[in-house]
């Protein structure tokens, strides 16, 4: 897998209570026959490290769970794939359930909760890079949150373009990083977030 090469070595300054938003890290995404080939095999380990760090700091944790309306989807409620993966441990401060890409269009209302808790900084991780994670990051940036996107704590899958060309997952992830960085969010790797000195 080609490694992303965007301004590596950056650091971030955590706010008083940054929230970690863990999006759709569900068992159904392990179904390669349904989704295809993925990138970033280190995704789950990086998510687990971020969750552990947030718990150690006693910072807010938000888990987001996708309730697919498609009865054939591995993420449909009632299917085993709807459950969180093993790397998503413990209880969050908030559990958001959604049926669309953005975590801001779920239940309960994520934006309302963040504002009630006076949280201004978000770190986003999860699945998939270029769908629910990118959409949530774009909305977070537009809503005025100081948003950090943990690119190597996400993964996605190969997809076909409208012309039928195969776009590899790693290229899609790099495109997401390019789209978001400096416009909607600051794109960092997990080690840069964990090495903040907090």
């Amino acid at each position: 897998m080609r490694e992303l090469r965007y301004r590596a070595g950056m650091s971030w300054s955590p706010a008083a209570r940054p929230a970690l938003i863990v999006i759709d890290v569900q068992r159904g995404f392990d179904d390669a026959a349904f989704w295809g080939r993925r990138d970033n095999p280190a995704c789950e380990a990086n998510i687990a490290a971020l969750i552990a760090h947030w718990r150690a700091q006693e910072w807010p944790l938000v888990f987001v769970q996708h309730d697919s309306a498609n009865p054939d989807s591995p993420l449909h409620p009632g299917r085993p794939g709807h459950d969180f993966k093993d790397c998503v441990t413990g209880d969050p401060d908030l559990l958001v359930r959604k049926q669309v890409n953005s975590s801001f269009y779920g239940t309960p209302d994520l934006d309302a909760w963040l504002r009630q808790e006076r949280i201004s900084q978000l770190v986003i991780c999860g699945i998939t890079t270029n769908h629910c994670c990118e959409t949530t990051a774009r909305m977070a940036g537009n809503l005025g949150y100081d948003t950090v996107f943990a690119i190597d704590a996400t993964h996605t899958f190969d997809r076909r373009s409208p012309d039928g060309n195969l776009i590899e997952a790693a290229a899609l992830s790099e495109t997401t990083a390019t789209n978001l960085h400096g416009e909607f969010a600051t794109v960092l790797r997990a080690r840069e977030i964990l090495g903040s000195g907090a």
Side-chain angles (χ1 to χ4, degrees), residues 10-15 18 54 59 121 123 148 188 192-196:
M10 292 178 62
S11 61
W12 75 303
S13 297
W54 251 252
W59 288 340
Q121 187 178 61
V123 175
V148 174
L188 297 175
E192 294 163 333
I193 296 167
L194 295 170
S196 65

Side-chain angles (χ1 to χ4, degrees), residues 111-172:
D111 182 50
W113 183 83
L114 291 168
R115 296 188 189 283
Q116 177 183 316
E117 295 293 317
R118 302 183 184 277
I119 294 168
S120 62
Q121 187 178 61
L122 313 181
V123 175
I124 291 173
C125 65
I127 308 169
T128 63
T129 311
N130 55 321
H131 293 118
C132 296
C133 295
E134 181 173 348
T135 303
T136 299
R138 284 171 176 264
M139 282 201 67
N142 282 173
L143 288 167
Y145 292 99
D146 176 9
T147 305
V148 174
F149 195 86
I151 187 68
D152 63 349
T154 74
H155 81 74
T156 191
F157 300 93
D158 293 354
R159 287 182 65 85
R160 293 277 175 188
S161 73
D163 294 332
N165 298 317
L166 180 68
I167 312 298
E168 293 187 355
L172 292 170

Side-chain angles (χ1 to χ4, degrees), residues 21-32 34-40 43-44 47 64-66 73-75 84-85 98 100-103 124-138 149-159 168-170 172-177 179-180:
I21 315 295
V22 182
I23 301 173
D24 301 351
V25 185
Q26 293 165 249
R27 296 181 187 276
F29 282 117
D30 291 335
D31 187 346
F34 188 89
W35 302 103
R37 187 177 61 175
R38 63 173 277 183
D39 68 339
N40 190 19
C43 171
E44 287 83 356
I47 289 171
V64 181
Q65 190 170 30
H66 193 81
S73 170
L75 305 180
F84 287 123
K85 296 189 182 193
K98 64 180 181 60
V100 295
N101 298 107
S102 176
S103 301
I124 291 173
C125 65
I127 308 169
T128 63
T129 311
N130 55 321
H131 293 118
C132 296
C133 295
E134 181 173 348
T135 303
T136 299
R138 284 171 176 264
F149 195 86
I151 187 68
D152 63 349
T154 74
H155 81 74
T156 191
F157 300 93
D158 293 354
R159 287 182 65 85
E168 293 187 355
L172 292 170
S173 290
E174 187 169 16
T175 299
T176 288
N179 288 341
L180 292 178

